[in-house]
Every structure is written in C-alpha cells, then in structure tokens.
Amino acid sequence: MATNRTFTMLKPDAVEKGHIGAILEKISASGFRIVAMKLTQMTKADAETFYAIHKERPFFTDLVQYMTRGPIVAAILEKDNAVEDFRTLIGATNPADAAEGTIRKMYAESISENAVHGSDSDENAAIEGAFHFSGREQF
C-alpha cells in the first residue's frame, strides 16, 4: 500500500546554483505539501551512513565528497502516492534521459550531479526522513 509521504534532498549542486526556490515552487505546483524542511550540511559520517547501500560501488567516495561539499535542503513531502509521483516529477537519474519538464531535466548537469534525491520506496522514504528529521520536526 502506498503511503502519502516521501523524502527529498536538494543536493549541493542545486543549492550552489541558487535553484532552491525554483525547485520548491515546482514541487509545490505539482501538489506536494512540505511537512518538514531544513537547510543543513551532511558530515562525511552522515553521507557514508545515508549512502551505505552504495559502499561497495566504485563511485561511493566521489558521492560522499559531493554530498558533503556544501549545504543541502532536506524535506519531507506529502501527497497521495507521494513516492511514485515524486520520482516521476524528478525524472531519470541521468538528466540526459529525463523527460522534459522534470526537475532533473531542468536543473541537473550530469548523472553524478543530478540536483535532487527522491526516495525510491515507501520504506526508504520513512528511513530517509527519520535520518534527517526527528519526530517533532514533522507535521
């Protein structure tokens, strides 16, 4: 059964390029309600823990360096069918393959600097949201 919440991160490249407002507007215009949000910066330990699933992959070290090089915006979003709808809104991981009008097509530069993260399942949305937010930070 699909839940109505998902987790997203606006990654360091999107923050550095000043795309926070435009991306949040696109998210809101697509019917998502922001129930928790903060500007924060991941430590190396945070990034290694958050991306532990990729620890054995050759890009892991570069991913950790990228995600810790500057601030991120972490947010929990609410909408019916949130995970699937948000994955559609952000587009393919590689912006070259992303559909027109998706966040990654509009704001990402490459597969490694792809502007935004979106949870890939209801279970991961709950885990990722809890990683970045305490219960009292979610409304």
Side-chain angles (χ1 to χ4, degrees), residues 26-56:
K26 182 131 181 95
I27 290 168
S28 293
S30 297
F32 290 91
R33 184 173 80 89
I34 299 168
V35 297
M37 183 173 66
K38 63 182 164 185
L39 179 71
T40 188
Q41 186 155 355
M42 295 176 81
T43 65
K44 182 179 181 201
D46 290 338
E48 288 174 342
T49 300
F50 190 82
Y51 289 106
I53 192 168
H54 299 304
K55 188 170 180 66
E56 301 304 319

Side-chain angles (χ1 to χ4, degrees), residues 3-8 33-38 74-78 122-139:
T3 64
N4 64 349
R5 287 195 172 180
T6 193
F7 174 78
T8 187
R33 184 173 80 89
I34 299 168
V35 297
M37 183 173 66
K38 63 182 164 185
I76 296 175
L77 309 175
E78 189 173 74
D122 291 327
E123 179 182 58
N124 283 339
I127 292 166
E128 293 169 355
F131 181 88
H132 284 278
F133 294 95
S134 70
R136 72 186 200 317
E137 294 176 302
Q138 300 177 46
F139 300 96

Side-chain angles (χ1 to χ4, degrees), residues 6-25:
T6 193
F7 174 78
T8 187
M9 266 191 298
L10 280 58
K11 295 180 179 181
D13 58 309
V15 174
E16 290 164 1
K17 293 173 184 161
H19 296 311
I20 296 171
I23 293 172
L24 292 176
E25 174 57 33

